Amino acid sequence: MKAIRIYQTGGADVLQYEDVEKPTPGNGQVLVKVAAASVNFADTMVRRGTYPFMPPLPAIPGLECSGLVEAVGDEVTRVRPGQPVALLGEKCYAQYVLADAASVTPLPEGLDLDEAAAVIVNYATAYHMLHTMAQVQPGQTILVHAAAGGVGTAVIQLAKEAGAKVIGLTSSREKVAYTVQQGIDYIINYRTDDVVKRIMEITYNRGVDLVLNSVAGDTFARDLEVLAPFGNLIWFGFAAGPPEGNLAEQLATHFGKSVGIRTFVIYTVAQSAPDLMAQSLERLFAHLADKKIRPHVHERMPLSEAARAHELLESGAVMGKLILKP
Ligand SMILES: NC(=O)c1ccc[n+]([C@@H]2O[C@H](COP(=O)([O-])OP(=O)(O)OC[C@H]3O[C@@H](n4cnc5c(N)ncnc54)[C@H](OP(=O)(O)O)[C@@H]3O)[C@@H](O)[C@H]2O)c1
């Protein structure tokens, strides 16, 4: 079968499209014929060697995909050959992928498999930050960084469904227009606008109840400034690199507001609360079938063009999700 493999970390040219052996399912395993493999920002970090949870090299990247069950190993009763599924796993940049049966979610018949591939990481991340972590309430105000991205799109749709007001940050006119189409309440271009001033105007000087920050870099000081009393900042990514400055000092400046900073990783849910993960995915795929959520596929590309996909995602030009087709 064909797959993308990396032998060393580096630029997009380390992604090699090559022949690898097709795996066979063992006990409790499922072999899936991949229909759509998602491109996540985390894949670009693995490729660069900056991901906190690096796989051993050589490695086939890819954390999630959708497809049809090709074969099952002994003792697998959860799915049967021919069934459409999505999975959170590893080595998904390939024509076939092997997964533990427990990490495979059966899909309702008739779903668009490209859209299904875009749900697990982005929508489950948005869902668990909003509901499991923040227990967001109708009427609350949320600030989301990278609002036009894959997770950003999911946050807009799920936060609106929960009755919250969403303020987004992004970097271009095109992305501003995209987030408005997605139903965002307010969108701020952080390259051209005074972010703190705009947020305080929008919230009548109260600030926001929740910040969802996937960027880090120099952004925490500003986030803490716009947090309302009792507000929380959830930090879930490093798009602009590790946090800069002295976090304890930044927190001390806003000590009187009783605010919190928390981290979030979707694997905590998948590994420490698998039942909760399974319930949320069932709910999200039912929402997809009912068209209550609509993942946006920015572009579908052949698997062989994984390098172009990474360059595009790292350039910041992607709205929604990139999908690789084996
Ligand atoms: N913790 C978790 O479980 C989890 C799960 C999923 C994703 N994530 C994280 O969430 C983030 C979003 O993931 P995604 O796959 O949906 O990607 P994405 O948001 O579609 O792409 C990254 C976006 O980050 C913004 N950005 C800001 N500073 C940047 C910089 N210096 N370099 C590149 N991009 C920058 C850009 O949007 P603007 O131009 O609008 O600023 C860019 O489009 C990533 O950081 C990812 O690692 C974490």
Side-chain angles (χ1 to χ4, degrees), residues 17-32:
Y17 183 63
E18 58 184 33
D19 289 308
V20 304
E21 205 176 320
K22 181 178 166 187
T24 18
N27 239 10
Q29 288 184 319
V30 178
L31 181 69
V32 175

Side-chain angles (χ1 to χ4, degrees), residues 41 121 125 146 149-151 170-171 175 190 214-215 236 239-240 264-266 316:
F41 202 81
V121 171
T125 295
V151 179
T170 193
S171 63
K175 286 178 164 183
Y190 62 82
S214 60
V215 172
F236 68 105
F264 179 82
V265 179
I266 191 60

Side-chain angles (χ1 to χ4, degrees), residues 39-45 48 51 53 63-64 120-126 129 144-153 169-172 175-176 179 187-188 190-191 213-216 219 235-241 263-268 312-322:
V39 183
N40 282 294
F41 202 81
D43 305 339
T44 68
M45 295 174 75
R48 275 180 273 134
Y51 195 54
F53 319 107
L63 303 171
E64 61 177 333
I120 294 193
V121 171
N122 289 350
Y123 282 77
T125 295
M129 289 194 298
V144 60
H145 289 255
V151 179
T153 301
L169 298 180
T170 193
S171 63
S172 73
K175 286 178 164 183
V176 165
T179 58
I187 181 75
I188 301 170
Y190 62 82
R191 289 204 202 282
N213 186 325
S214 60
V215 172
T219 58
W235 168 30
F236 68 105
F238 298 82
T263 61
F264 179 82
V265 179
I266 191 60
Y267 290 104
T268 316
L312 196 62
L313 187 59
E314 288 171 298
S315 76
V318 173
M319 289 169 277
K321 195 80 172 171
L322 287 176

Side-chain angles (χ1 to χ4, degrees), residues 205-222:
N205 282 324
R206 184 176 165 273
V208 300
D209 300 292
L210 177 65
V211 179
L212 301 177
N213 186 325
S214 60
V215 172
D218 65 358
T219 58
F220 282 179
R222 191 181 61 197

Side-chain angles (χ1 to χ4, degrees), residues 39 74 78 95 110 154 205 218 280 287:
V39 183
D74 289 343
R78 190 175 161 79
Q95 287 180 317
N205 282 324
D218 65 358
S280 63
H287 272 19

